[in-house]
Amino acid sequence: MTAATVAPARAEAPSSGTLTGTGTLLRFMLRRDRIRLPAWVLGIGIFVPYFFTAFQTLFPTEAELAGLAAFTEGPMVALLGGPGYGLGDDLSYFTFFTAIYVMYFMLAAALMNILLVSRHTRVEEQTGRAELVRANVVGRHAPLTATLIMVVISNVLITLVVFGGLLAFESPSQSSALLVALGIGLFGLVFAGVTFTAVQISEYSRVSSGIAGAVLGGAYVLRAAGDLSSDHGNALSWLTPFAWSQQTRAFSDERWWPLLISVIVAAGLIALGYRLSTRRDLGAGLRATRPGPASAPAWLRTPFALSWRLLSGSVRGWAIALIVGGLVYGTTASPLVDSFADMGEEMAQIIAGGADPLLGYLRTLTLMLIVTVAIFALLAILKVRTEETDGRAEPVLATATSRSTWLAGYVLVIALSAVVLLVLACVATGVTAALATEDWTLLGDMAVAGLVGAPAVLMVIGVATLLYGVSPRLLPIASAWVAFSGLTAFFGTLLDLPEALLWVSPWHHTPGVPAEGITWAPLLIQLVIAAGLTMAGLLAFRRRDLTTT
């Protein structure tokens, strides 16, 4: 008799659709960005109440706002703002905001989307975390889809914050307020689509982000050329996403159909990203990376040279951007100062920053360049952290290179680069300001202003080095400090902040060259503090464990 046997029940195969796990990944992304995302949204949205509060304080009536008429005419508005609908006789707080300032909201939204998409797609693959995730029951398109939902949520939040801010200041037209807010959100979504495609090309996140950033920069140049060539722009303007949001003519002669172009282009780029993602392996890019040389040249065998080799590309990019920015903003000196004559003493004191409007304005530009270079320094320190957390620092430190020498090499390169960048940017500003005003003493004044601003930037590097030396997790404190200091530097007087808060800012103690003379004591104190903080950071780095993945 043969015993009856029962075949074991076949284990049910888990669901394996291409979108399986999307919800779980989305929740994980939202949790990771629970601080970063609100900071982006609120950081962008806060400038709506700032603008209206500041301008309604400086110009209590729209008739007084007409004192800005000189600024709203000519090519400068086309260069810095856009096609300029609603200026001239129709000038109001809302048309001025839309024509001049909305473009900067769009740029900030684009940067947020580029960084968000790169962080949740290419960075995940580059660090190997995506491979661990895909080893589970996760569909092929789940990470991209979760990222897509994430950026849509982000842009919806920005749209709502800007829309709410405009309504809070009694927008004369709800539909125009919504048009402005949607224009910003859809502009961000277009660059999310650009980055969706860019991250499929290279296996490195910095290359992908660089491609998306180059598209943004190229679009800005085309838009400026188009808006400068003709009144309210021409075909060159319409080639860029800027026009699809700015040509809606909000608060002037509103029209909705340009936004449809943004929707179509964003959808097409996102679809292209999905399509390209199926044509490459996980962790690879469509463009194969060339292998490097088998051995390093002799000059590269020191910690300082290695640091320069790794940071030089970033330094060159920042140098180009700062020089171009300095040249552009230097040209604004003459027309803006002319407009200051009609703004009254209060405007000259708050915006121009002193009795001499030209020197006060150049002082404000210098301060802006100092804060920008401080941001470069912080990002460079974050690069050092990445070298550690990605495991590339460990093999170097396994050689005869000490920890202090390794970190000191980076800090020295960052400090020297920051000083050179600041001086270059200030000199570029001085060149075009001198050309515009035919006063060539401004060139030397701006070069000195760059050198005088350097100690404050070195203090930022010192604080960041100390925090990194104690623990890489503390670095966000330095970012928050720089952000707060920048806010107090530009808006502290306007907001009438207490003196104790103003003292927190490193550049609050920087002499106001070229509007004021040089006082050496604050500069020497800043240098001593910067050196002390850096040394403390190097010592702390020797005593803590390395952070590796």
Side-chain angles (χ1 to χ4, degrees):
M1 181 175 179
T2 303
T5 57
V6 179
R10 179 181 297 177
E12 187 175 347
S15 174
S16 57
T18 57
L19 299 181
T20 301
T22 300
T24 303
L25 290 177
L26 177 61
R27 288 195 296 275
F28 179 59
M29 290 176 184
L30 290 172
R31 177 171 173 73
R32 286 183 66 196
D33 284 355
R34 61 189 182 281
I35 296 176
R36 190 186 304 263
L37 182 58
W40 268 109
V41 173
L42 295 177
I44 294 173
I46 195 173
F47 284 94
V48 176
Y50 165 73
F51 170 85
F52 285 97
T53 301
F55 273 73
Q56 289 178 359
T57 301
L58 295 169
F59 308 101
T61 66
E62 293 188 349
E64 295 182 63
L65 186 67
L68 287 172
F71 177 70
T72 61
E73 297 174 354
M76 205 54 62
V77 167
L79 180 65
L80 301 178
Y85 289 104
L87 300 178
D89 294 338
D90 299 328
L91 186 65
S92 68
Y93 297 123
F94 288 89
T95 57
F96 190 83
F97 172 80
T98 304
I100 307 295
Y101 286 91
V102 164
M103 191 182 69
Y104 298 95
F105 286 78
M106 294 160 63
L107 288 171
L111 288 175
M112 182 197 75
N113 280 274
I114 290 171
L115 295 176
L116 276 181
V117 173
S118 180
R119 167 179 163 83
H120 290 294
T121 54
R122 180 50 68 182
V123 171
E124 290 298 289
E125 294 188 35
Q126 187 177 322
T127 57
R129 288 192 290 265
E131 188 173 3
L132 292 175
V133 170
R134 290 284 295 275
N136 295 282
V137 185
V138 174
R140 183 181 184 89
H141 294 314
L144 270 183
T145 305
T147 305
L148 173 61
I149 298 172
M150 176 89 173
V151 296
V152 168
I153 291 173
S154 306
N155 289 295
V156 168
L157 289 176
I158 287 179
T159 301
L160 292 176
V161 167
V162 173
F163 180 58
L166 292 174
L167 293 185
F169 284 90
E170 300 178 355
S171 167
S173 167
Q174 291 188 7
S175 58
S176 283
L178 183 59
L179 203 54
V180 170
L182 273 177
I184 296 170
L186 288 175
F187 185 84
L189 199 58
V190 168
F191 277 90
V194 171
T195 317
F196 257 77
T197 302
V199 295
Q200 314 302 330
I201 296 173
S202 170
E203 62 186 83
Y204 296 107
S205 61
R206 64 175 184 273
V207 177
S208 305
S209 300
I211 293 171
V215 173
L216 179 61
Y220 182 91
V221 172
L222 275 181
R223 177 213 61 79
D227 291 345
L228 281 168
S229 303
S230 309
D231 287 344
H232 304 314
N234 58 21
L236 281 178
S237 309
W238 281 95
L239 289 175
T240 73
F242 288 97
W244 310 334
S245 294
Q246 291 185 308
Q247 294 286 350
T248 53
R249 305 177 182 176
F251 298 109
S252 177
D253 178 22
E254 62 183 55
R255 51 183 182 179
W256 291 82
W257 63 264
L259 294 182
L260 187 60
I261 304 175
S262 296
V263 174
I264 294 172
V265 172
L269 288 169
I270 290 168
L272 179 61
Y274 273 96
R275 178 68 175 168
L276 294 179
S277 70
T278 63
R279 294 174 176 266
R280 65 176 180 84
D281 294 330
L282 184 66
L286 293 172
R287 179 178 177 274
T289 303
R290 292 179 302 174
S295 60
W299 68 269
L300 200 56
R301 295 173 184 172
T302 66
F304 179 83
L306 177 62
S307 306
W308 169 248
R309 176 70 179 82
L310 294 175
L311 293 172
S312 59
S314 171
V315 173
R316 282 194 292 269
W318 276 86
I320 293 171
L322 285 168
I323 290 172
V324 172
L327 291 172
V328 170
Y329 284 108
T331 61
T332 66
S334 185
L336 275 177
V337 169
D338 290 342
S339 70
F340 288 164
D342 300 324
M343 294 179 188
E345 184 178 354
E346 187 180 11
M347 185 70 175
Q349 287 295 327
I350 293 178
I351 293 184
D356 187 321
L358 175 61
L359 297 182
Y361 177 62
L362 290 178
R363 159 60 181 159
T364 303
L365 289 181
T366 303
L367 187 57
M368 185 173 66
L369 294 173
I370 293 173
V371 175
T372 306
V373 172
I375 293 172
F376 153 78
L378 279 180
L379 293 177
I381 294 288
L382 288 175
K383 167 69 177 172
V384 182
R385 179 191 179 187
T386 304
E387 289 296 300
E388 178 185 348
T389 55
D390 287 356
R392 290 188 290 271
E394 203 168 0
V396 177
L397 295 174
T399 66
T401 304
S402 70
R403 288 190 176 200
S404 298
T405 305
W406 178 80
L407 181 56
Y410 278 103
V411 174
L412 184 58
V413 169
I414 294 169
L416 291 175
S417 301
V419 174
V420 172
L421 288 176
L422 185 54
V423 173
L424 282 177
C426 288
V427 167
T429 306
V431 167
T432 47
L435 284 171
T437 60
E438 298 181 352
D439 180 3
W440 285 97
T441 61
L442 296 177
L443 179 57
D445 290 343
M446 288 303 292
V448 173
L451 289 172
V452 168
V457 177
L458 296 179
M459 267 192 67
V460 172
I461 295 173
V463 169
T465 303
L466 175 61
L467 293 173
Y468 172 72
V470 174
S471 172
R473 293 178 178 274
L474 298 178
L475 272 177
I477 296 176
S479 301
W481 178 50
V482 169
F484 176 76
S485 299
L487 188 70
T488 61
F490 292 111
F491 310 134
T493 304
L494 193 64
L495 299 175
D496 197 22
L497 293 177
E499 185 68 17
L501 289 180
L502 298 178
W503 266 71
V504 174
S505 168
W507 22 85
H508 177 68
H509 311 283
T510 300
V513 179
E516 303 170 3
I518 300 177
T519 49
W520 293 100
L523 300 179
L524 294 175
I525 292 173
Q526 285 178 335
L527 287 173
V528 170
I529 293 175
L533 291 171
T534 302
M535 291 301 299
L538 295 178
L539 292 174
F541 184 61
R542 293 173 55 185
R543 298 182 179 180
R544 73 166 170 85
D545 293 333
L546 287 180
T547 303
T548 56
T549 54

